[in-house]
Amino acid sequence: MQAARYRIRADILNPAPNGSCRWVRDGELVFGPDGIIVRCGRRGGGDASATRIPAPRGAVIIPGLVDCHTHLSQYHVRGRTGHTLMDWLGSYVFPAEAAFRDRAFARAVANGFFRKLLANGVTTAALYANYRTGAEQALSAAAALGIRAAVGLTLMDRGVPAALRQRPEQALEDCRHLAEQARGCGNGRAWFSVNPRFAPAVSARFMEMIGRFAGSSGVYIQTHLSENPAEIALVRKLYPGIGSYAGVYDRFGLLTDRTLLAHCIHLTPAERRLVSRRRCAVVHCPSSNLFLHSGRFPIEHWSGYRKLCLGTDVGAGPSFSMLDTMRDAYFVNRQSPERLFCQATLGGAAALGLERMIGSLAPGKQADFSVVTIGERAGTSGSELLSDLIFKWDQVTFHRVFVAGREVYRA
Ligand SMILES: [Zn+2]
């Protein structure tokens, strides 16, 4: 006998790899008890026996959103204004991150952080945590709440307050332990990542150790690249022998197809060629770039890049909402809503090498999706409906959110 399936009926917005979006009016999503999608399309595919999941009137189903760059430890410093990157780190971020040595505090914040992501329809996130304790708590909280997460340990051994400086050998030991923990939790939905903070905070020796560990263990690598002119000048001073900022990471084997590079605002043509040759993901963080006056991400160089994705960059980005992030990306570069939607879904999935599993709603993929309503829904095409979603953010409600067919959030 066939195991019970589930079906949910609503309009469906689904991204396509070519940067377009398919709108299915009166659609139906059917998935099995294993959380794998069986059908996604127009109503009436003969699955009448499937258990019905109710959806509100006028609801729209969208795939789970993928936030490719955010900082768990910066939860409390959102909206601290008046600075550019380097001052902001010193005034707010470093003191905030130092608090994550405390296990109970780290656990409470991790829980709140992931709940916020789920409440905004984010079903997969790549993030930065601090200290072994902080990353441990993040991995357990993600697994318990059912979100997919690449949890990174922020690595730094210079240029930051003593409380945050790590001994490279100990940090690598922590990485081994956390990679092991990630393998054993979250039913394959949790991953570990090494996150050298950025080149100014990591010595060449540490960088080399991190590169070697990442190469042998296959974990993700997340870092910041070319966000701010003062940061770039500092890298040039600290790594005088290497021609470019991207070249520093490359020297130590940190530019790979498992690497997510946040910002990439001020890259030279040669750096852009290097990043795409190494098939790294490029994470555009428009809200953060606006907030810290870091500069405009030059979309014209990346618009066709398969691994272009979006990140909220909380806390420099003040919002957990990928809809807000898409809206800011529009204001900065005027891309179409369809393209932004693709970057927030399929682009994020591709960035993490998970595009066969998540990023859109299709048979064989995991049923990661949200059921949303838009207060003054007026769109009469997929594009207009997407515009409603992105620009009427104050009227959007995420009613229910599912990861692998399991409900992980309900409004
Ligand atoms: Zn960041």
Side-chain angles (χ1 to χ4, degrees), residues 72-76 100 104-114:
L72 192 156
S73 321
Q74 296 176 21
Y75 187 100
H76 297 294
F100 280 79
F105 177 78
R107 183 184 308 139
V109 178
N111 274 312
F113 179 84
F114 288 123

Side-chain angles (χ1 to χ4, degrees), residues 69-71 74 128 197 223-224 227 262-263 285 288 313-314 316:
H69 185 82
T70 183
H71 295 257
Q74 296 176 21
Y128 288 59
R197 162 162 239 128
T223 190
H224 298 88
E227 176 175 3
H263 303 293
C285 304
S288 156
D313 198 13
V314 161

